[in-house]
Amino acid sequence: MTGSEPIRPIVTRLIAYTVSPGHDAEFEAWQNGVSEQLQKFPGALRADILPAAMTELGHEWIVINRFATELQLKAWLDSHERAQALSKVPDILVGQETQYTLAGAESKDAGETIVTSNEVMPGKEAEYEAADRALNEAAARFPGFVSAKLYKPEASGDRWSTTIRFDSKANMDRWLASPERAAGRNAMYRFTVSHQAKVVPTGFGSWFAVNAEDSIAAPAWKQAMVVLAALYPLVMFLNLTIGSFLSGRGLPFAADVFVGNALSTAGLSWLLMPFVTSVMAWWLSPRCNATNTTLGACLLLVVYAVEVAIFLSLHATI
């Protein structure tokens, strides 16, 4: 790659399987084997399997594969390793799996994202694109709207896909139940053969915003470690100061806990988490390599130990 070539964004491949009832364990074991092969492949970042959801035909499983570049994803899709892994699929699937590829993003905000995929009628691509654009414009007029993006098919077996992101579940639910969305979908479906929609929540919300280039959030375990590093000292500080003051004035325990939780939530959301996530951005990035991932985890373990030591010392002097 030359210095003048742009860095391609991380790509996310979503695959939806419907598994016949009673065969979830068998499917998960098979998919874990596929994921093990994928994670050895050049450019592979993560392979996630979302818990099954009940549908009319069976349990639906969502598999999410992430690669550093589109070329590396396409190499995996065409690889002997993938073909060999897929050849061992057990005879437990109902219908054809749905696959689509997403790359990039338009917003750093998190919350909830609805991912729709549509098989467009041949020759109706322009009409479908116009209908999809109108639907996204309708969503943009709703409270909490963050972004919308249309993805054209990029690989064999892909469908046309759209992501619409809202800042909270409540705002997303308002859009999902709206007559505006129903009318827009009906207009769009005149140009499709089939369609599906999935809602994907994001970790700890806006504390861990989806990366604007990479379109994925930090792994949940990293999010939890960073939250703990910020939450523990804040809670200890509030307990030793305001908590002690309020309990000494005879405030009921339930009210004391409520005040502490309210102050902790406010302190995390508007003071500590923006700072901590900024400092740890190099570690939270989906591009963080294995060495830096280990380094960051060890750093946070040291931070935990220092925090505990400091508050043990303070508590002893009070």
Side-chain angles (χ1 to χ4, degrees):
M1 177 180 294
T2 65
S4 60
E5 290 187 62
I7 297 176
R8 302 305 299 273
I10 286 176
V11 291
T12 302
R13 180 80 168 180
L14 288 89
I15 313 168
Y17 295 96
T18 300
V19 179
S20 57
H23 294 281
D24 290 329
E26 189 177 353
F27 171 81
E28 190 170 11
W30 167 71
Q31 188 56 231
N32 284 335
V34 178
S35 297
E36 288 178 7
Q37 290 297 318
L38 179 141
Q39 289 172 330
K40 299 174 184 177
F41 203 81
L45 299 177
R46 291 181 61 189
D48 298 312
I49 308 174
L50 300 188
M54 179 64 74
T55 68
E56 294 180 357
L57 299 177
H59 286 177
E60 183 178 70
W61 290 76
I62 305 297
V63 177
I64 304 175
N65 298 330
R66 297 182 174 107
F67 278 78
T69 69
E70 294 176 22
L71 290 178
Q72 288 168 323
L73 168 62
K74 290 176 180 178
W76 161 251
L77 295 176
D78 297 333
S79 69
H80 170 74
E81 292 87 342
R82 177 174 178 268
Q84 187 176 35
L86 294 179
S87 68
K88 301 176 182 178
V89 58
D91 187 21
I92 57 175
L93 302 182
V94 179
Q96 182 69 30
E97 70 273 12
T98 301
Q99 306 186 47
Y100 38 104
T101 303
L102 309 177
E106 293 180 342
S107 172
K108 293 184 179 180
D109 294 324
E112 295 225 345
T113 300
I114 181 170
V115 182
T116 61
S117 67
N118 295 281
E119 182 181 352
V120 179
M121 297 177 182
K124 296 294 183 180
E125 291 81 5
E127 292 88 342
Y128 169 81
E129 194 168 355
D132 183 84
R133 187 183 308 111
L135 182 62
N136 295 341
E137 290 172 354
R141 293 190 285 270
F142 272 66
F145 173 84
V146 174
S147 67
K149 186 174 181 64
L150 172 66
Y151 300 88
K152 297 181 180 181
E154 296 186 10
S156 176
D158 277 4
R159 300 185 175 195
W160 289 69
S161 306
T162 299
T163 59
I164 298 179
R165 182 172 296 134
F166 280 82
D167 60 3
S168 68
K169 184 178 185 302
N171 285 329
M172 172 65 80
D173 289 343
R174 187 178 295 111
W175 162 247
L176 292 176
S178 69
E180 291 89 341
R181 178 173 182 264
R185 291 178 71 191
N186 288 336
M188 188 171 62
Y189 292 164
R190 290 184 297 169
F191 312 112
T192 65
V193 177
S194 61
H195 45 266
Q196 289 188 337
K198 320 289 178 192
V199 176
V200 183
T202 304
F204 287 89
S206 59
W207 291 347
F208 299 93
V210 173
N211 183 284
E213 178 187 5
D214 297 335
S215 189
I216 56 176
W221 68 272
K222 286 189 176 184
Q223 297 183 25
M225 288 190 71
V226 171
V227 170
L228 179 59
L231 181 61
Y232 172 73
L234 178 60
V235 171
M236 287 299 299
F237 173 77
L238 292 174
N239 284 339
L240 293 175
T241 55
I242 297 176
S244 297
F245 174 80
L246 293 177
S247 61
R249 298 300 186 276
L251 191 71
F253 175 73
D256 188 6
V257 171
F258 175 82
V259 172
N261 286 343
L263 292 175
S264 297
T265 301
L268 278 178
S269 297
W270 291 294
L271 181 63
L272 290 182
M273 289 309 298
F275 170 75
V276 174
T277 54
S278 176
V279 171
M280 296 298 295
W282 60 275
W283 188 64
L284 294 169
S285 169
R287 294 186 184 276
C288 182
N289 59 36
T291 300
N292 286 339
T293 292
T294 302
L295 178 63
C298 292
L299 174 62
L300 285 175
L301 291 176
V302 172
V303 169
Y304 298 158
V306 171
E307 290 175 343
V308 171
I310 290 174
F311 283 106
L312 282 174
S313 177
L314 286 175
H315 190 266
T317 60
I318 296 178

